[in-house]
Amino acid sequence: MSEIGELLLGLVVLFGALMSAVSAFGLIRLPDVYLRSHAATKSATLGVLLILSGAFLYFMFYVEHVSAKLLLGIIFVFITSPVAGHLNGRAAYRSGVPLWEQSEYDDLRPALKKEQASLGEGGKEHK
């Protein structure tokens, strides 16, 4: 039974490494900053979480040691990576970085125009 568990945990770590490789491939191949940010945020986060989770579970079940550092690392990556990706995309959009020419629809443009119009009318901040 021990070998099966180790094999499953090894597959979790391997799948995490593959997801990280897919993320790196997406960073190289995707055409604009928004798609690259998506690749870096989604698949890299999943890859790192799988690798850290595999290591955490291995230490917990086979070494009988619960690693607080690994657990904190999992929580930290899970919280900060999506927020950082969102903020990078938002900063790029607000600074005028163009969308990929084959993008079909800009979901943020109407909301941004509405916000700018409300700020321009009375000088009030949009809440």
Side-chain angles (χ1 to χ4, degrees), residues 33-34 37 82-97 108 112 115 126:
V33 69
Y34 308 105
S37 175
V83 172
H86 172 76
L87 291 177
N88 284 335
R90 183 179 170 133
Y93 188 86
R94 287 183 177 260
S95 66
V97 176
L108 190 55
L112 188 60
E115 179 182 323
H126 182 68

Side-chain angles (χ1 to χ4, degrees), residues 17-76:
L18 290 174
M19 288 304 297
S20 296
V22 167
S23 176
F25 184 71
L27 285 173
I28 293 169
R29 296 287 300 166
L30 292 174
D32 70 347
V33 69
Y34 308 105
L35 295 173
R36 289 177 182 158
S37 175
H38 179 76
T41 302
K42 300 289 184 185
S43 55
T45 301
L46 180 61
V48 170
L49 287 177
L50 286 172
I51 292 170
L52 291 177
S53 297
F56 178 78
L57 291 172
Y58 177 81
F59 283 123
M60 189 169 78
F61 290 127
Y62 293 101
V63 183
E64 295 179 2
H65 173 73
V66 176
S67 175
K69 291 179 185 178
L70 279 173
L71 192 57
L72 287 174
I74 291 168
I75 293 168
F76 181 76

